[in-house]
Amino acid sequence: MASSLTCTGVIWALLSLLCAAASCVGFFMPYWLLGTQMDKPVSFGTFRRCSYPVRDEEKQITVMLEQCGRYASFSGIPSLEWRICTVVTGVGCGLLLLVALTGLMGCCISDLISRTIGRVAGGIQFVGGLLIGSGCALYPLGWDSEEVKQTCSNSSDQFKLVFPPESHRRRLLRSGFVSTK
């Protein structure tokens, strides 16, 4: 198989694929924010959530359903900021994947990637990285949503998470501090 890439280009293509895969996995995982609700661990991503309250009509009580899933609709995402974060981060991941797969094809097909196409691909990667970084910066703006307040603390706000004294997070922080003494 002939390649249109130099040794540096092949390394760039492989690292691009690795970074795009890591970004996509991070985007799809619902573990961006961890907390507890009804004594059960709860986690949030931009468009997914693990463990959520459901009304049991038979027993007329609210129970925690301990499974992960997407919100029922785009408008079901708890805050406007998280909706924007989902779109921005998703587009950024898509751009990184596009460049990574193009670079990977350039390893196998001769004359696919010229110097100009390589520069354009680098620019697209840069924009994808900026979009992912912007999505990560937008995420804390949604911490004032009702779902996050129920999970972390009613006094949680944008860029400020407050965990109840009995929370798992506080125990982890305390044990980490004690172990470093």
Side-chain angles (χ1 to χ4, degrees), residues 33-34 59 73 83 102 118 142 157 161:
L33 179 62
L34 303 172
K59 296 179 183 176
S73 67
R83 287 182 218 131
T102 303
D157 202 359
L161 288 177

Side-chain angles (χ1 to χ4, degrees), residues 14-45:
L14 294 175
L15 286 175
S16 296
L17 183 65
L18 181 69
C19 290
S23 297
C24 289
V25 166
F27 174 59
F28 283 105
M29 289 288 118
Y31 304 111
W32 288 34
L33 179 62
L34 303 172
T36 58
Q37 191 173 356
M38 297 171 63
D39 294 326
K40 304 284 184 188
V42 176
S43 62
F44 296 97

